[in-house]
Amino acid sequence: MKIIQSFWSKPSMNQSDDPNSRYKGGWLKKKYSFFSQALSCLSFKEFYPEVELYTDTHGKKLLLDQLKLPYTKVHVTLEEINSYNPKLWALGKIVTYAQQDKPFLHADTDVYIWRKFDSELTSSELFTQNLEVNFPAYQDAFNEILKRFDWIPTELINVLYQNQNIQAFNAGIIGGSNYSFFKQLKDRAFDFIHKNEHLLNTIDIGIFNTIFEQQLGFAIAQKKKIPISYYLNKVDSDFSQVINFHTVPVSSSYVHCIGYAKKSIFACEQLEARLKYHFPTYYNDLIENLKATFPEEEFECDFSVERMNNLFRIYDWLSTVSINDIFETRFSLSKNVAIINEEEKYFLSYSLPQNGSLQKEEIKDWLAIILYFETPTSIKELHTELCKDEDFLKDMNSEELKSKLISFVMDKYVLLEILEVKN
């Protein structure tokens, strides 16, 4: 299986303050975009020896020659699209897919893995991350396009009529062996763009990328009766299942920092901490290369040494335990947490370990579970107790509750330091 990634670095967007510029990629800071590319490439190389990059001349100079990202091979093939609007960021991906003639897996550079994919998935003629049905972003954007564009591919209209809903696939990972599909996707996407190029400034171009790549791709596959295999069976529109650094590696082995997650201080912290923990030599070398490439900018860690060391201790522990060990481990409220009673309401007060800012949350709904940890309690004990409550099992079964409780506890332990392990 050939692993590929793409980076289209049209120069006009490189130095832009636009948060979606090629150098920033939607992240809080430029450095996190490069940390993400590094962690993505390195995590895939843990399981697949060959990870290749498709880019343009400037991308090769930046990523390979200056930053020395560890790709095994580079293909300078994206010069042909440098005349297009730089906000059409999915073009580089679509062109790259269409150039393949052997089974491949393309991964976005904000996808990281801790386990090899099953061959049953990667041997499919077409596979993607997950199916998306009636996600709000598509509905709003497609309605806008229906009103404003001169021409829309018939595949999109027909599938909308047949299904009576909007369906798409998420291309965080995508690949397979149906090369004619990927070539047709490229041709139809370029038709879509060319015939409406004069109208692009009337819509949200960022969301349009998902329509001409993911919604159109799904529609073409349905028209051609190409079966799609999905890595994840169920993903909600908030993508909480894939933005799950706090459950790696005990109950998840795949993270996709999709869209809004890149603006999260928690995701940025975990990205940098994971790169520094798993690949310390490469992390240090990348920092030095970034300083040399962008001497006017700061690339020091935004998080305290104490916080990083605490995360590394947590990672050490997580690397030695199983999901059952986590289930039976007792946790309790941290000494730094206070429960406050104000006007007949209870609040949780604590400081964010990322920046020390004081947080105050009303203890209600799911957060009320935190009160169980005023004394040392295991997730197993909590699960047994909550299974007696019909309200908790109204919308989920016992296994789903177990999964949600593990995620809840690990979030409060890893990301917020609200909980601590009691030996």
Side-chain angles (χ1 to χ4, degrees):
M1 173 60 60
K2 179 181 180 181
I3 307 299
I4 60 175
Q5 297 190 307
S6 54
F7 180 80
W8 175 36
S9 63
K10 183 170 180 175
S12 64
M13 285 290 282
N14 288 339
Q15 301 294 348
S16 170
D17 290 331
D18 188 314
N20 294 309
S21 67
R22 296 293 176 260
Y23 282 179
K24 207 166 183 181
W27 291 92
L28 279 178
K29 292 183 179 180
K30 179 188 298 184
K31 68 175 183 177
Y32 296 119
S33 177
F34 296 120
F35 289 167
S36 181
Q37 285 196 284
L39 182 61
S40 184
C41 177
L42 287 162
S43 72
F44 272 88
K45 287 185 74 174
E46 291 285 285
F47 306 98
Y48 302 93
E50 303 296 320
V51 180
E52 302 181 6
L53 177 69
Y54 286 72
T55 186
D56 54 17
T57 302
H58 191 270
K60 177 186 178 300
K61 178 182 177 183
L62 172 67
L63 301 183
L64 276 295
D65 300 338
Q66 294 175 309
L67 299 184
K68 304 186 188 306
L69 295 189
Y71 291 101
T72 52
K73 189 175 183 180
V74 60
H75 305 263
V76 181
T77 59
L78 300 184
E79 290 289 317
E80 64 181 86
I81 58 174
N82 273 345
S83 61
Y84 287 85
N85 188 318
K87 292 183 179 180
L88 297 170
W89 45 261
L91 279 183
K93 297 174 62 181
I94 286 176
V95 170
T96 298
Y97 307 155
Q99 292 171 346
Q100 306 309 310
D101 58 7
K102 294 180 180 179
F104 72 95
L105 181 155
H106 180 285
D108 285 352
T109 56
D110 53 6
V111 170
Y112 330 106
I113 61 171
W114 280 263
R115 186 176 65 197
K116 191 172 185 176
F117 296 102
D118 292 340
S119 59
E120 183 178 355
L121 174 77
T122 56
S123 61
S124 306
E125 61 176 303
L126 176 60
F127 63 86
T128 69
Q129 178 181 288
N130 63 273
L131 174 66
E132 301 177 346
V133 179
N134 281 341
F135 279 20
Y138 289 102
Q139 292 178 310
D140 296 342
F142 195 56
N143 287 339
E144 197 70 13
I145 285 169
L146 285 171
K147 287 190 294 185
R148 298 182 183 277
F149 273 16
D150 289 341
W151 181 86
I152 295 174
T154 55
E155 293 92 341
L156 285 175
I157 302 298
N158 291 341
V159 166
L160 180 62
Y161 177 76
Q162 292 168 15
N163 298 334
Q164 293 298 301
N165 57 30
I166 293 179
Q167 298 189 34
F169 54 62
N170 186 286
I173 58 167
I174 187 171
S177 56
N178 194 320
Y179 315 116
S180 64
F181 163 80
F182 292 105
K183 289 178 172 57
Q184 184 173 354
L185 173 58
K186 174 191 171 184
D187 292 341
R188 297 299 275 170
F190 273 93
D191 285 343
F192 202 1
I193 292 165
H194 291 157
K195 293 179 180 181
N196 299 288
E197 201 159 7
H198 58 297
L199 298 169
L200 290 180
N201 63 351
T202 68
I203 64 165
D204 182 338
I205 299 180
I207 299 299
F208 178 50
N209 284 274
T210 63
I211 291 177
F212 73 73
E213 180 193 20
Q214 300 183 159
Q215 189 178 341
L216 178 58
F218 179 89
I220 292 171
Q222 182 164 316
K223 177 184 177 181
K224 295 171 69 72
K225 294 181 170 53
I226 301 170
I228 306 174
S229 298
Y230 297 106
Y231 174 60
L232 299 170
N233 292 324
K234 183 181 178 182
V235 175
D236 297 330
S237 59
D238 64 0
F239 291 97
S240 58
Q241 297 97 321
V242 297
I243 312 167
N244 49 6
F245 274 113
H246 58 285
T247 58
V248 170
V250 291
S251 63
S252 61
S253 57
Y254 178 94
V255 171
H256 182 188
C257 270
I258 194 165
Y260 71 90
K262 297 179 176 67
K263 296 292 189 294
S264 163
I265 190 173
F266 305 111
C268 291
E269 176 203 53
Q270 291 299 308
L271 166 62
E272 182 160 9
R274 286 289 183 176
L275 180 61
K276 190 172 183 179
Y277 176 81
H278 294 294
F279 308 101
T281 300
Y282 189 83
Y283 170 81
N284 292 329
D285 290 344
L286 179 57
I287 292 292
E288 294 306 310
N289 293 334
L290 284 168
K291 289 178 179 178
T293 305
F294 305 102
E296 73 284 359
E297 299 191 30
E298 293 289 332
F299 293 99
E300 300 304 323
C301 185
D302 292 327
F303 311 103
S304 70
V305 173
E306 179 184 6
R307 171 60 177 164
M308 286 290 110
N309 287 341
N310 192 40
L311 279 175
F312 292 173
R313 285 192 292 270
I314 292 173
Y315 296 162
D316 285 343
W317 180 64
L318 291 176
S319 68
T320 64
V321 295
S322 67
I323 189 69
N324 285 332
D325 293 330
I326 297 289
F327 197 51
E328 296 182 356
T329 296
R330 289 193 165 193
F331 295 85
S332 66
L333 285 175
S334 167
K335 300 179 183 65
N336 300 321
V337 173
I339 295 176
I340 304 169
N341 183 358
E342 293 181 356
E343 299 179 354
E344 298 184 354
K345 293 182 179 179
Y346 286 89
F347 297 86
L348 192 69
S349 176
Y350 61 96
S351 296
L352 278 184
Q354 290 75 21
N355 56 23
S357 64
L358 186 63
Q359 305 294 303
K360 184 179 175 183
E361 296 183 60
E362 185 179 355
I363 300 176
K364 61 179 182 178
D365 301 326
W366 258 82
L367 187 57
I369 292 172
I370 207 73
L371 296 176
Y372 282 90
F373 296 98
E374 289 187 279
T375 58
T377 303
S378 71
I379 304 174
K380 182 178 181 180
E381 292 168 331
L382 180 56
H383 179 259
T384 300
E385 184 67 25
L386 292 179
C387 278
K388 301 174 185 176
D389 188 333
E390 292 183 0
D391 287 340
F392 273 95
L393 296 181
K394 186 168 53 178
D395 299 316
M396 69 187 84
N397 59 37
S398 175
E399 278 302 306
E400 290 170 332
L401 176 60
K402 177 180 177 180
S403 178
K404 286 198 71 171
L405 288 174
I406 290 172
S407 181
F408 175 87
V409 169
M410 297 309 291
D411 173 82
K412 303 302 181 282
Y413 173 54
V414 178
L415 300 186
L416 299 178
E417 294 187 5
I418 289 175
L419 296 178
E420 58 187 21
V421 171
K422 300 303 290 186
N423 295 324

